[in-house]
Structures are given as structure tokens and as C-alpha cells.
């Protein structure tokens, strides 16, 4: 006997495929929570927006941003409280401070350390520098200073030079740095080493030395007091001078009243005597 | 390895994963109704799952959190005939249950009785290498079985090792650790027609559900309806469903025979429908409300009024407005007798006479027909009872009725699965991955 298929009746409500799937998605707890949270956030955000909409002219976005920034950036934990400059003399310290023009406390995000370093390195008396922010919130600048070793007079300028002949700064008069030796003449800054070596050799008679003059950018003249000169040769000036000062007659010659000692000719010392001393002494 | 075995292993993995995750859907796909249960499992102790003993003593605590039942559509005699309708029915019932449980299910364990199941007993023996039986001996022995040829053009639904023999002794439930020379296993193989399971699994896939296993419905109802003694001493469970009547015989807690009779309550209703020329719904109504098996004198005068309208409000024009109860019973009884006759044939085939206890438990929707007990006693003697499923945590009282015995049995099965042949590792000539696995298993067993 054939069993009649009786079940095909109308009115068998079934959830549609979409609805079934939606329910299955909705029943996953984590997803439900996520969706609820997002919905809550959206609702809150829109209500806040609606509330603030009437005041939108007063509340400029920039102001809010600024106040927010200041709120965040002025936190004492984040700010830089001070500046410490190490390895320098007070003059340079003041100079750097004046140049950086920082007012503390300041937010580290607002300063560009690379720029600051460039500025500091741009200074004449700074060899190189390191900048870092310490744990205590202090901007620390460590400076390797260039040390002046020579005074160089060129035309009317009086310059301070370092070992490499680089200009560090100016001096107003010789008396400002009596400890530094003086060189004069065009191109003397390129021969600092040589000048210093000559000065070293001259140390026994340093009291009488007024300075060195580079003549024609090739050889040195030593200027002593009483307007006396020692002319050095182009080459081997140091050795020649050493030989002269080491000789027996040197002290004798130097104590005489001469105007020029010429050492330019190898093996010979030409001394030009001054005729009357009395006139010189008057000067 | 057998392709059915591979598929069953896949579903076993799914089942275990679902239990570990905590939720599992159960579904009884019957001819007249479709039931969905959602189980919530307690956290599983992972260590216990390592033991591969046959009777694992630890059961997993569970609770029913979602229940839905619905008229079934597109199913005839437990088989899918209209896939679209079945899909709809599954969708609606799953949605309802998920709503109640407020969780989703991904994997479903189903029971069904379609596909004209056949039960076959197989026996093989093996000489043991070591004096003591180990789990891998069982696997080695099972690999000797020629499942392929036995189930030619059919699919294996169950392959249960029901009995172990050791030398000349029999009746072992778990031979692991016992001493002996030859080990033998009785395997009860239940095969169904090809593609039946595929059709059902297709319907589930279209509802975004995975099949975590299929259980023979009479077996499931027996697990919920038979009590301990009956399971032990041998008894039959007759699951009288709507489209078919399932027969399963149990001995020593194992199903030794399972079969179905292709008659059920629907056929009774159909008889009533034809006898009185009324609609199917009306026939079903008077069958459930007034139906019976034994005619008494009073029944002649007990007139049953036929309602003239059905659900949809259409007016039906029946030949007569009344049917006497005795007429109704005289229509029901022959069909029921036919069913019982068929059941008797099946029981005889399953060797029911040789059981020690010979108890018969009736369950399923049709078993609620008044007077079935008396009729059954006439047929099978006094060792008959009408069974009700046992209680399950969280299931509503209304669902502890006979027609839900299969799904309740399924819940019991899910928490305490029966070992099947594919649960044992069989040695095979296989690729590197399998060999690697066996190496790992060896390490696990020895340390």
C-alpha cells in the first residue's frame, strides 16, 4: 500500500534562510556584545554631537585641539624642566642659552633636537655637541669646545684661532688674551702649527717676543721688543732657529743693540746693527 | 581502509570536538516529527579521553538547554524524499531550539531508522603475539574483517564489537589486560542503503550544520528505555515510530541485532483515513484520542464525533458525522497485529529465543495506544512492558514521553558513546603521516 504523503500542507511557517543565518550570527555571544558596544558608542557619540551642535561657532575645533594638546603636553611627567650645558665656559653657556631661546618647562614634542644641534654646531667656538634628554627631564647639551691657541691680526681685525687655524672669535685688543701668541699677516691662519712650533722654540726669550709676521705668505719674521726682528728662512725655519738659539753667540748677539738678525742664509747669521741706541730708547 | 570508516572517524572527531566545546545538537528525524535537543556539557577532563578502554567508566555530565519539536516534512520512512522541505524543517526546529538555549550549535548527532537497515554478525579470530591482550590487538584483529565485501553496495552505519572471546571462553566486555592466546570479536554490523546518510547530511550542510554522527534509532531508543537488568540479561526494544517500527535486541549491554519493520503508526492512521473517508489530520486525531486495541461491549455505543473542519478552516463533507469506537478499533487492530507479526519475524531472525531474559519493551509514539500491552502479551507472552524513556537533566516533563525515547537515548549515547570498530586504530599499509601517528601512539601507550 502506498502511504500518502500528507505533510504537504499550507501553513508550515519556517524561518527564511537569511533569518536563520542572522539568528545564528546573533546568538554568538562575543559578536552580540561587540555589536551592542558599537551601537552604544554610536548612540552616545551622536547625542553628544547633537548637544554640541548649537555651540559649534563658539567651540572651534582648533581651540579644542589646542586645549587638548596643552592638557596632554603640559603634564609634568612629560615636560622638559631645564637646560644644562656642560663642558663650557660661562660665556659660551650664556651665548647658547640666548641663541636657543627656550622657555621651560617645555614639551619635548615641540622642540626639534636636530635643529638645536645644528644651531649649536653653527657656533664658531663649538667643535661638536651632543644633545639628549635625561630621565629627570633636563635637556642636556654636552659641548666640545674649540680652544683658541693663537691671536691672528689681519688688517685691523684681531681673531682667535684654534689649532686647525679656524676662526673662533674676535678679540678687541691684545691685552684681552695676553696668554696667546700673536701672528700677523695674510695666510698666517693656515700655518698655525708652524707658528706654534716656532713659539715653542722661542720659549727662552719669550719675554722679548712681540709676535710673528708672515712675510709674503712664505716665511716668518719674529718681532722682538725694541722693534728688532729675526728673519727666518722659508724652509726648516724651526731647525735653523733652534740652531741659532742653541749657539754660543746667540745670547751675546741678542743682548746687542741690533735691528735685524737675518738667518735666511744657511750657515751664516747676518746681524744688522743699529747706529744710535739713544734714539731708539727714546721711542 | 574502508571509506565508511574514514567518514565515521571524521564524525567522531567532530563529536569529540563539539563535546569539548560544550554544546552539541541532537536531532531525531522521524517520519511524523522532527525533534532537536541542545546539550550543554560540563568541562571535560581531557586526561580521561586518552584511555582507550571499551567501557569507559567516566561519563560526561550534561544538561538539556534547548528543545524544539516540529511536524516533520519531506521524510518518508526515515528517508529524505524532498530535500528542500527537510531543510526547512531542520531550519525551523534548530532555530527554535537555539533560541531557547541562546547558543548556537555547529554539529549535530542524529538518529534515524530509514535506509532499510540490515544487521549482520561477523566473527574473526586472531592468535595473539603477546600473552596479554592490548588495545592494539583489537585493532589488528578488526583489520582482518572484510567489511568491504559484507557491505557491498551498502553503507555501514554501525560496526559494534559486541562480544569478545578469549581462547574458549566467551562473554568478555573488555579483554584488555587479560591473558590468552587467541582473541575473537563478534562484530554487529548494521548497514543501510547507500546515499541515505549523504542526503541527510546534505540537508544539514545547507543549514550550516555538520553531521557529528548518525545513530540507528532503535538502538538509541533502547538505550533510553531499557533498564540495567534488561540490557544485561537480554531483551528486545520495539520502537514503534510513525513510519517504521524498529527492533533491537540487547545482550550484555550490547546491541546484538537491529532491524526495522516498514510499518508504523502512520499506516494505522492511513487505514483509518481510508476506512472512514476522512482527512489524515482527522484520522490522526481520532486515533490518538479514541484509538485502542481491545473492543469492549461499551465501545459499540461510544460514538466519536468527526469534526467538520480542519486546521485551515475548510469544511469537510464526510459521509457520516459519527464513527463508533468499536469500528475504529476494528480498523486499528489488524494493522497493529500485522506490525507485531512482522516484529515477531524480526525477533526470530535476531535469535531472540536464545536470550536468557526474553523481555520485550515497547516504546515509541504508537506504543501509547491503549490496549497494546494486552495485544503484545497475546503475541509475546507475559514478559512485555510498555517502556518510557529515563529522565534526562533539564528536559521538560512533557518530553519524557514514549515518542521521545529515541532522542533521549541519543543524549545518553552522546555523553557515553559506544565503542565502534572505527574507534580502534587499525594497522594499515599507509603513508608517512599515519606511520607518524602510530609512532606517537606507541609513545603514549608506553609512557
Amino acid at each position: 500500500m502506498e502511504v500518502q504523503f500528507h505533510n504537504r500542507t499550507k501553513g508550515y511557517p519556517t524561518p527564511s534562510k537569511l533569518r536563520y543565518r542572522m539568528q545564528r550570527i546573533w546568538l554568538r555571544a562575543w559578536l552580540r556584545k561587540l555589536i551592542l558596544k558599537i551601537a552604544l558608542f554610536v548612540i552616545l557619540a551622536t547625542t553628544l554631537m547633537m548637544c554640541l551642535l548649537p555651540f559649534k561657532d563658539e567651540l572651534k575645533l582648533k581651540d579644542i585641539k589646542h586645549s587638548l594638546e596643552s592638557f596632554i603636553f603640559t603634564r609634568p611627567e612629560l615636560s622638559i624642566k631645564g637646560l644644562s650645558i656642560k663642558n663650557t665656559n660661562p660665556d659660551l653657556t650664556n651665548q647658547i642659552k640666548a641663541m636657543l631661546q627656550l622657555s621651560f618647562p617645555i614639551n619635548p614634542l615641540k622642540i626639534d633636537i636636530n635643529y638645536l644641534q645644528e644651531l649649536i654646531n653653527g657656533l664658531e667656538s663649538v667643535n661638536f655637541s651632543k644633545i639628549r634628554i635625561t630621565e629627570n627631564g633636563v635637556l642636556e647639551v654636552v659641548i666640545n669646545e674649540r680652544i683658541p691657541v693663537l691671536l691672528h691680526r689681519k688688517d685691523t681685525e684681531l681673531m682667535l684661532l684654534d689649532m686647525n687655524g679656524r676662526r673662533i672669535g674676535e678679540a678687541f685688543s691684545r691685552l684681552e688674551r695676553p696668554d696667546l701668541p700673536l701672528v700677523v699677516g695674510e695666510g698666517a691662519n693656515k700655518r698655525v702649527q708652524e707658528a706654534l712650533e716656532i713659539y715653542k722654540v722661542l720659549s727662552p726669550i719669550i719675554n722679548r717676543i712681540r709676535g710673528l709676521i708672515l712675510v709674503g705668505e712664505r716665511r716668518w719674521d719674529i718681532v722682538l721688543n725694541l722693534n728688532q726682528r729675526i728673519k727666518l728662512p722659508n724652509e726648516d725655519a724651526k731647525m735653523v732657529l733652534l740652531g741659532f738659539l742653541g749657539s754660543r753667540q746667540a745670547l751675546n748677539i741678542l743682548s746687542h743693540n741690533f735691528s735685524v738678525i737675518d738667518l735666511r742664509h744657511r750657515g751664516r747669521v747676518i746681524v744688522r746693527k743699529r747706529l744710535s741706541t739713544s734714539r731708539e730708547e727714546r721711542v | 581502509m574502508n571509506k565508511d570508516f574514514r567518514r565515521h572517524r571524521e564524525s567522531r572527531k567532530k563529536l569529540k570536538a563539539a563535546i569539548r566545546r560544550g554544546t552539541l545538537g541532537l536531532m531525531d528525524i522521524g517520519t511524523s516529527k522532527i525533534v532537536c535537543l541542545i546539550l550543554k556539557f560540563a568541562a571535560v577532563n581531557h586526561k580521561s579521553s586518552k584511555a582507550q578502554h571499551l567501557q569507559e567508566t567516566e561519563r560526561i555530565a550534561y544538561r538539556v538547554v534547548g528543545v524544539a519539536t516540529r511536524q516533520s516534512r519531506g521524510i518518508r520512512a526515515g528517508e529524505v524524499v524532498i530535500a528542500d522541505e527537510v531543510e526547512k524543517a531542520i531550519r525551523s526546529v534548530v532555530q527554535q531550539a537555539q533560541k531557547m538555549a541562546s547558543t548556537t550549535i555547529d554539529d549535530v548527532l542524529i538518529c534515524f531508522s530509514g535506509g532499510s537497515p540490515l544487521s549482520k554478525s561477523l566473527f574473526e579470530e586472531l592468535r595473539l603475539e603477546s600473552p596479554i591482550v592490548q588495545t592494539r590487538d583489537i585493532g589488528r584483529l578488526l583489520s582482518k574483517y572484510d567489511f568491504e565485501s559484507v557491505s557491498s553496495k551498502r553503507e555501514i552505519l554501525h560496526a559494534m564489537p559486541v562480544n569478545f572471546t578469549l581462547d574458549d571462553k566467551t562473554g568478555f566486555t573488555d579483554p584488555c589486560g587479560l591473558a590468552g592466546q587467541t582473541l575473537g570479536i563478534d562484530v554487529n554490523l548494521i548497514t543501510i542503503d547507500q546515499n541515505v546518510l549523504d542526503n541527510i547530511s546534505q540537508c544539514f550542510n545547507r543549514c550550516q550544520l555538520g553531521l557529528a554522527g548518525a545513530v540507528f534509532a532503535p538502538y538509541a531508543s533502547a538505550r533510553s528505555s531499557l533498564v540495567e537488568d534488561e540490557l544485561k540479561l537480554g531483551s528486545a526494544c520495539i520502537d514503534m515510530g510513525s513510519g517504521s517500527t524498529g527492533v533491537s535486541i540487547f545482550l550484555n549491554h550490547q546491541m546484538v541485532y537491529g532491524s526495522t519493520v516498514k510499518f508504523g503508526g502512520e499506516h494505522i492512521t492511513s487505514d483509518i483515513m481510508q476506512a472512514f473517508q476522512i482527512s489524515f489530520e482527522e484520522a490522526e486525531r481520532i486515533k490518538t484520542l479514541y484509538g485502542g486495541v481491545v473492543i469492549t461491549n461499551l465501545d459499540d455505543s461510544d460514538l466519536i464525533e468527526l469534526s467538520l473542519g480542519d486546521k485551515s478552516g475548510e469544511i469537510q463533507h464526510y459521509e457520516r458525522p459519527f464513527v463508533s469506537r468499536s469500528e475504529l478499533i476494528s480498523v486499528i487492530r489488524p494493522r497493529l497485529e500485522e506490525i507485531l507479526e512482522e516484529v515477531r519475524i524480526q525477533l526470530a531472525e535476531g535469535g531472540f529465543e536464545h536470550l536468557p531474559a526474553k523481555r520485550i519493551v515497547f516504546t515509541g509514539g504508537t506504543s501509547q495506544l491503549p490496549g497494546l500491552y494486552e495485544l503484545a502479551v497475546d503475541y509475546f507472552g507475559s514478559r512485555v512492558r510498555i517502556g518510557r524513556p529515563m529522565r534526562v537533566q533539564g528536559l521538560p516533563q512533557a518530553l519524557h514521553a514514549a515518542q521521545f525515547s529515541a532522542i533521549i537515548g541519543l543524549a545518553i549515547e552522546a555523553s557515553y558513546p559506544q565503542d565502534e570498530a572505527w574507534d580502534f586504530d587499525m594497522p594499515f599499509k599507509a603513508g608517512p603521516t599515519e606511520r607518524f601517528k602510530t609512532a606517537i601512539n606507541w609513545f603514549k601507550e608506553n609512557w
Side-chain angles (χ1 to χ4, degrees):
Chain A
M1 188 212 70
E2 182 69 23
V3 175
Q4 275 154 2
F5 195 75
H6 59 90
N7 282 339
R8 289 204 106 174
T9 45
K10 288 174 283 175
Y12 187 85
T14 354
S16 67
K17 223 167 207 174
L18 186 73
R19 222 183 132 159
Y20 172 77
R21 292 202 174 171
M22 289 309 288
Q23 194 221 20
R24 277 175 70 81
I25 290 168
W26 187 243
L27 280 174
R28 293 182 199 271
W30 61 271
L31 194 74
R32 194 167 54 220
K33 277 177 196 161
L34 186 74
I35 291 169
L36 283 175
K37 271 176 193 165
I38 290 169
L40 195 72
F41 177 76
V42 166
I43 289 166
L44 279 178
T46 39
T47 39
L48 199 72
M49 290 286 274
M50 296 301 271
C51 291
L52 292 177
L53 215 56
F55 310 105
K56 72 172 177 188
D57 294 334
E58 287 96 75
L59 281 167
K60 291 230 174 70
L61 203 64
K62 255 184 194 169
D63 294 347
I64 293 173
K65 195 183 162 198
H66 186 254
S67 62
L68 212 67
E69 249 176 28
S70 65
F71 175 73
I72 294 168
F73 293 155
T74 55
R75 314 258 353 130
E77 302 83 38
L78 289 175
S79 63
I80 298 175
K81 291 177 204 75
L83 177 72
S84 91
I85 299 169
K86 290 194 173 168
N87 286 353
T88 66
N89 52 8
D91 275 355
L92 188 59
T93 305
N94 288 335
Q95 200 184 348
I96 290 171
K97 271 184 184 167
M99 189 181 61
L100 296 183
Q101 286 181 332
L102 297 172
S103 57
F104 295 99
I106 194 170
N107 171 29
L109 297 175
K110 277 187 176 172
I111 56 175
D112 181 0
I113 290 207
N114 287 335
Y115 175 67
L116 292 186
Q117 192 158 20
E118 255 173 49
L119 271 184
I120 292 169
N121 287 349
L123 284 174
E124 282 168 335
S125 54
V126 174
N127 194 3
F128 60 88
S129 63
K130 281 178 191 164
I131 300 185
R132 66 187 189 105
I133 296 165
T134 61
E135 294 96 346
N136 310 327
V138 176
L139 190 70
E140 195 180 78
V141 183
V142 182
I143 284 178
N144 188 305
E145 204 180 347
R146 267 199 221 117
I147 301 155
V149 291
L150 268 183
L151 278 170
H152 178 213
R153 195 197 296 279
K154 196 175 127 192
D155 301 332
T156 52
E157 263 183 311
L158 193 61
M159 292 177 292
L160 292 163
L161 296 186
D162 74 346
M163 288 289 284
N164 303 323
R166 272 195 60 176
R167 188 193 135 111
I168 293 172
E170 270 182 57
F172 294 108
S173 98
R174 242 207 109 166
L175 298 174
E176 205 174 297
R177 298 299 297 265
D179 53 322
L180 297 182
L182 177 76
V183 289
V184 182
E186 193 84 28
N189 53 347
K190 285 167 193 155
R191 304 173 71 160
V192 173
Q193 289 288 344
E194 212 178 315
L196 286 176
E197 275 169 13
I198 290 168
Y199 263 105
K200 205 180 257 175
V201 174
L202 288 172
S203 55
I205 52 165
I206 199 73
N207 295 333
R208 295 185 59 186
I209 305 296
R210 297 275 302 274
L212 292 182
I213 300 173
L214 190 63
V215 181
E217 290 194 40
R218 59 190 162 85
R219 61 168 201 86
W220 295 98
D221 270 10
I222 303 166
V223 181
L224 307 181
N225 58 354
L226 305 173
N227 205 13
Q228 294 164 321
R229 282 192 182 210
I230 300 173
K231 294 187 173 185
L232 295 179
N234 289 354
E235 286 146 18
D236 251 356
K238 184 188 156 195
M239 295 311 293
V240 170
L241 186 63
L242 206 57
F244 168 67
L245 288 179
S247 64
R248 233 181 282 155
Q249 296 101 331
L251 271 177
N252 191 18
I253 292 168
L254 283 172
S255 61
H256 278 85
N257 185 13
F258 64 92
S259 65
V260 173
I261 299 172
D262 197 342
L263 300 176
R264 284 180 294 181
H265 305 285
R266 187 163 293 254
R268 262 193 303 177
V269 178
I270 300 168
V271 181
R272 191 184 302 164
K273 282 216 168 186
R274 204 173 264 156
L275 293 177
S276 85
T277 45
S278 56
R279 210 177 56 184
E280 284 295 324
E281 274 161 359
R282 277 206 307 276
V283 174
Chain B
M1 195 171 54
N2 197 314
K3 85 169 167 45
D4 293 337
F5 272 41
R6 201 162 289 152
R7 183 222 288 242
H8 282 299
R9 283 197 174 172
E10 289 290 309
S11 6
R12 265 287 144 93
K13 263 185 216 159
K14 272 190 199 166
L15 181 66
K16 275 184 181 165
I19 288 171
R20 217 176 301 128
R21 260 182 278 131
T23 50
L24 175 70
L26 307 177
M27 208 171 274
D28 178 12
I29 298 168
T31 312
S32 72
K33 69 168 183 342
I34 179 163
V35 192
C36 177
L37 287 195
I38 295 179
L39 297 190
K40 194 148 219 147
F41 288 92
V44 186
N45 185 7
H46 292 288
K47 277 178 190 162
S48 71
S49 63
K50 212 177 98 179
Q52 268 224 337
H53 280 276
L54 288 183
Q55 299 288 330
E56 217 172 279
T57 42
E58 197 164 340
R59 293 184 188 219
I60 310 155
Y62 64 92
R63 189 181 173 81
V64 177
V65 289
V67 165
T69 168
R70 197 85 208 269
Q71 187 194 5
S72 146
R73 307 215 305 174
I75 301 267
R76 186 157 53 198
E79 287 169 42
V80 178
V81 284
I82 306 171
D84 201 36
E85 298 279 306
V86 175
E87 188 202 332
K88 274 184 186 169
I90 291 170
R91 225 191 293 145
S92 69
V93 84
V94 167
Q95 192 193 33
Q96 211 177 326
Q98 282 180 345
K99 201 171 175 184
M100 181 174 164
S102 72
T103 52
T104 52
I105 50 174
D106 295 316
D107 297 302
V108 181
L109 184 67
I110 64 158
C111 71
F112 73 107
S113 57
S116 50
L118 284 179
S119 183
K120 194 164 180 110
S121 220
L122 306 174
F123 182 73
E124 284 281 348
E125 266 187 335
L126 174 81
R127 277 205 70 81
L128 293 175
E129 289 167 350
S130 57
I132 286 176
V133 181
Q134 281 166 317
T135 331
R136 61 160 183 260
D137 290 327
I138 299 171
R140 235 172 36 157
L141 176 51
L142 282 170
S143 68
K144 279 179 70 180
Y145 284 77
D146 193 10
F147 291 114
E148 204 80 58
S149 72
V150 171
S151 62
S152 60
K153 298 211 171 167
R154 288 174 76 80
E155 247 174 85
I156 299 170
L157 185 64
H158 285 294
M160 300 170 167
V162 292
N163 183 33
F164 291 89
T165 61
L166 207 55
D167 298 336
D168 49 355
K169 290 191 217 81
T170 182
F172 292 101
T173 48
D174 184 359
C176 293
L178 298 180
Q181 274 74 48
T182 49
L183 177 73
I185 308 179
D186 278 304
V187 172
N188 182 23
L189 194 71
I190 290 179
T191 55
I192 54 169
D193 290 340
Q194 268 181 330
N195 301 330
V196 173
L197 211 53
D198 275 331
N199 286 338
I200 292 177
S201 122
Q202 274 305 310
C203 292
F204 278 105
N205 284 349
R206 279 198 269 168
C207 299
Q208 299 180 305
L209 298 170
L211 205 57
V215 175
F216 186 46
Y219 170 75
S221 19
R223 284 205 70 169
S224 72
S225 307
L226 299 189
V227 296
E228 196 70 21
D229 285 358
E230 290 165 345
L231 285 172
K232 178 87 188 145
L233 296 173
S235 46
C237 177
I238 316 295
D239 179 11
M240 305 184 79
S242 162
S244 62
T245 298
V247 177
S248 57
I249 299 175
F250 272 72
L251 181 65
N252 262 341
H253 294 274
Q254 302 290 341
M255 182 170 75
V256 292
Y257 181 78
S259 173
T260 55
V261 175
K262 286 235 167 186
F263 294 120
E266 196 182 53
H267 299 80
I268 299 172
T269 312
S270 182
D271 285 346
I272 297 166
M273 186 176 101
Q274 287 172 11
F276 304 120
Q277 294 295 307
I278 53 178
S279 70
F280 192 92
E281 279 77 23
E282 183 59 22
E284 185 72 29
R285 188 182 74 86
I286 63 172
K287 182 188 85 173
T288 49
L289 291 180
Y290 310 104
V293 176
V294 184
I295 305 177
T296 58
N297 290 336
L298 213 75
D299 289 335
D300 282 335
S301 54
D302 192 357
L303 291 180
I304 300 159
E305 193 178 355
L306 299 173
S307 67
L308 292 173
D310 65 356
K311 274 190 293 185
S312 53
E314 277 176 61
I315 302 295
Q316 304 276 339
H317 297 286
Y318 299 133
E319 282 177 14
R320 47 189 190 162
F322 295 103
V323 169
S324 80
R325 186 151 189 252
S326 58
E327 279 176 302
L328 180 63
I329 287 170
S330 62
V331 173
I332 293 172
R333 188 170 171 125
R335 180 60 87 169
L336 209 57
E337 281 176 350
E338 190 187 357
I339 294 172
L340 291 186
E341 197 63 51
E342 289 286 336
V343 166
R344 180 146 69 181
I345 293 167
Q346 291 298 330
L347 286 180
E349 208 165 291
F352 182 65
E353 299 91 76
H354 310 301
L355 296 184
K358 294 195 194 71
R359 204 138 165 71
I360 297 179
V361 178
F362 283 85
T363 185
T366 314
S367 74
Q368 289 166 313
L369 209 62
L372 172 72
Y373 175 74
E374 284 80 6
L375 188 67
V377 165
D378 284 352
Y379 268 78
F380 301 110
S382 59
R383 288 172 174 182
V384 165
R385 73 180 178 93
I386 308 294
R388 293 285 172 270
M390 55 179 81
R391 283 207 61 85
V392 163
Q393 273 282 314
L395 194 69
Q397 185 62 49
L399 266 67
H400 280 285
Q403 63 264 45
F404 297 104
S405 59
I407 189 103
I408 292 168
L410 205 57
I412 295 165
E413 168 77 14
S415 70
Y416 186 36
Q418 166 79 39
D419 281 304
E420 307 246 13
W422 42 81
D423 290 327
F424 296 95
D425 289 323
M426 297 183 192
F428 19 65
K429 331 148 209 73
T433 53
E434 302 285 5
R435 243 179 238 160
F436 187 63
K437 265 185 204 162
T438 36
I440 286 177
N441 280 346
W442 185 82
F443 272 102
K444 272 184 186 170
E445 274 172 30
N446 288 283
W447 273 289

